[in-house]
Amino acid sequence: MDRKTDNDVLDAVGPRLRALRRDRGITLANLAAMTGVSESTLSRLESGQRRPSLELLLPLARIYDVPLDDLVGAPRTGDPRIHLKPIRRSEMTFVPLSRQPGGVHAFKMIIPAQPEPLEPTPQTHEGVEWLYVLNGRLRLVIGERDLMLPPGEAAEFDTSLPHWLGSADGGVVELLILFGLQGVRAHVRTGPHRPPQAGSRR
């Protein structure tokens, strides 16, 4: 079995911290103000020029609201349960389903019931988003298109286009979301795999 050395673990901390900061939409200057750690130290930490220490990682773990073990990629032992921490933004709830910073992120998103329909407020950001409606009726606005997705329907779109998600009928909507940086897309099989017939060439 391939076992990581201490140097391998420490070398992976910088990229993990950079991915977390970018995922949260925080600049180095803002992070320096929130943690009291200088911007140059944070930059060197993310680039691997500065070795991580407990003194540096503790305030970052508090800001990112993640266990210290997640920052260093330490394996979990003992309790097999996964303790998910919901994130609430603009009255919506996001439950992170993936733990690894960077790459594709998986979330369960819950849009609460609304007594009156909300006016769409489209936003843009870099990346690609794939979603699947679990329950409720989702209203999806992408550019000039205004769509309604019932349970079981999926959509994929470039998030650099103005987009907005909400409830189509005022009820609760639950959906799964995969989000990745530009160029990372979900691959979905549209039909069952058929083995080649006898005598056919592959």
Side-chain angles (χ1 to χ4, degrees):
M1 181 182 294
D2 182 24
R3 300 186 63 181
K4 291 184 178 180
T5 66
D6 291 345
N7 284 336
D8 292 332
V9 173
L10 292 175
D11 289 343
V13 173
R16 187 175 289 109
L17 292 174
R18 182 184 293 111
L20 272 171
R21 178 175 59 79
R22 290 177 175 175
D23 181 57
R24 301 294 198 275
I26 302 174
T27 66
L28 278 173
N30 289 337
L31 187 60
M34 289 186 288
T35 60
V37 180
S38 71
E39 188 174 343
S40 61
T41 297
L42 293 171
S43 178
R44 294 200 306 273
L45 187 62
E46 289 187 358
S47 65
Q49 299 176 19
R50 172 72 179 264
R51 283 299 192 188
S53 65
L54 191 60
E55 182 181 6
L56 293 174
L57 294 180
L58 280 175
L60 292 174
R62 284 195 295 267
I63 294 299
Y64 295 139
D65 192 26
V66 297
L68 191 60
D69 285 352
D70 286 4
L71 295 186
V72 298
R76 292 183 173 272
T77 58
D79 192 346
R81 294 175 296 177
I82 299 175
H83 302 283
L84 302 175
K85 291 186 176 181
I87 303 169
R88 290 177 175 80
R89 296 176 182 170
S90 302
E91 298 185 0
M92 298 182 184
T93 301
F94 297 83
V95 182
L97 304 177
S98 58
R99 305 181 59 84
Q100 186 67 24
V104 177
H105 291 225
F107 298 90
K108 179 179 180 181
M109 178 179 176
I110 303 172
I111 302 175
Q114 298 289 342
E116 297 181 2
L118 296 178
E119 185 68 23
T121 54
Q123 298 181 352
T124 63
H125 52 87
E126 182 183 359
V128 174
E129 190 166 304
W130 182 91
L131 58 83
Y132 177 86
V133 182
L134 296 170
N135 294 298
R137 293 158 60 90
L138 175 71
R139 182 183 178 188
L140 174 62
V141 177
I142 306 174
E144 300 297 323
R145 303 191 67 181
D146 196 333
L147 309 171
M148 192 284 294
L149 280 68
E153 284 205 354
E156 183 180 49
F157 56 93
D158 186 333
T159 56
S160 65
L161 298 173
H163 61 280
W164 178 85
L165 286 73
S167 175
D169 55 13
V172 176
V173 183
E174 298 183 12
L175 57 153
L176 293 178
I177 291 179
L178 296 180
F179 175 77
L181 297 178
Q182 195 66 35
V184 179
R185 293 183 177 273
H187 298 278
V188 182
R189 288 189 180 274
T190 56
H193 173 68
R194 296 180 179 177
Q197 296 180 355
S200 65
R201 293 187 177 181
R202 298 187 64 180

